[in-house]
Amino acid sequence: SDLKTADLLPAADPYGQGNTASQALLARAGTNAPVDWVMVQLRNNASPTTVVDEMAAMVLANGKVVMANGESPLYFADAPRGQYRVAAWHRNHLAAMTATSTQLGTGVSSVNFGDPALSMYGTEPRRILGGIAVLWAGDVDGNGTLRYTGQDNDRDPILTRIGGMVPTNSVTGYHPEDVNLDGVVRYVGAANDRDPILQGIGGTVPTLTRTEQLP
């Protein structure tokens, strides 16, 4: 929750949904502190390219996702009762979607994206860290592909953000180039935002890429 601690987390969602976080939510601390905005989508089970409803919500330090007013569970007013696949994405992480549907509308349902055993769509849609599944970080330009080198790579925008000339510079703020979400954009040194991109594509061959696993 470094963004919140540094008072950098915006009250307005960055996805253009028009949601505004309540002051009570932004004031939370500890494991209930907000980390960042995420987008949660309900997709048609038979035709998962179709988004039935979506919501800009907030993920907390304990991994729970809540609505902008701080309430949970998420309530999708425009989705009729039925079977849905659930997708989640973040402004500089690759999205992921469940491979099977969840029945919604007959009570509270839980989908744990942090569970490595959860059946997901595609090939290696999440990264496994210490027994916890996470979204792949480093999609700085938001085009659905992690690239370390070449055209439309995600590394160069980091250098551009810090000034484009001196790689040891750093910039504080709420930026997509802040891959590790610590509130500071760094190109080199400890906690830099370039290394996670290389790790995301395999860690050794800089020309490899990783593509978002959505239909």
Side-chain angles (χ1 to χ4, degrees):
S1 54
D2 291 338
L3 293 173
K4 185 262 182 184
T5 301
D7 199 26
L8 296 172
L9 191 59
D13 83 82
Y15 304 111
Q17 297 294 300
N19 287 355
T20 301
S22 68
Q23 288 301 310
L25 174 58
L26 294 174
R28 291 186 186 182
T31 58
N32 288 312
V35 172
D36 201 2
W37 290 95
V38 294
M39 182 74 84
V40 181
Q41 297 178 332
L42 301 185
R43 294 188 171 222
N44 185 283
N45 183 40
S47 178
T49 58
T50 301
V51 177
V52 178
D53 201 356
E54 61 185 5
M55 179 186 298
M58 193 79 76
V59 62
L60 307 181
N62 60 12
K64 190 174 183 178
V65 178
V66 300
M67 294 192 296
N69 61 7
E71 295 180 0
S72 63
L74 305 186
Y75 176 73
F76 293 87
D78 295 330
R81 180 181 301 178
Q83 298 278 338
Y84 295 98
R85 302 198 196 194
V86 182
W89 61 282
H90 178 267
R91 57 196 175 90
N92 59 18
H93 288 58
L94 298 182
M97 183 187 74
T98 58
T100 58
S101 63
T102 298
Q103 173 66 41
L104 299 179
T106 57
V108 176
S109 298
S110 177
V111 180
N112 184 2
F113 271 67
D115 182 0
L118 180 66
S119 181
M120 304 296 292
Y121 176 88
T123 303
E124 290 187 320
R126 299 169 298 170
R127 184 180 183 182
I128 309 301
L129 291 175
I132 298 176
V134 299
L135 299 181
W136 292 99
D139 186 17
V140 169
D141 60 10
N143 68 354
T145 302
L146 297 186
R147 289 188 178 90
Y148 190 73
T149 61
Q151 185 175 0
D152 298 325
N153 72 73
D154 296 289
R155 180 183 59 168
D156 289 349
I158 299 173
L159 184 60
T160 300
R161 175 64 69 180
I162 63 170
M165 297 294 292
V166 182
T168 53
N169 282 347
S170 63
V171 173
T172 299
Y174 187 77
H175 302 295
E177 296 84 7
D178 178 19
V179 175
N180 61 14
L181 307 182
D182 66 354
V184 182
V185 179
R186 299 182 180 89
Y187 190 75
V188 296
N192 73 73
D193 298 290
R194 180 180 58 166
D195 288 349
I197 302 171
L198 183 60
Q199 294 165 5
I201 62 171
T204 56
V205 182
T207 54
L208 292 178
T209 62
R210 183 176 296 278
T211 303
E212 187 173 78
Q213 299 298 291
L214 283 181

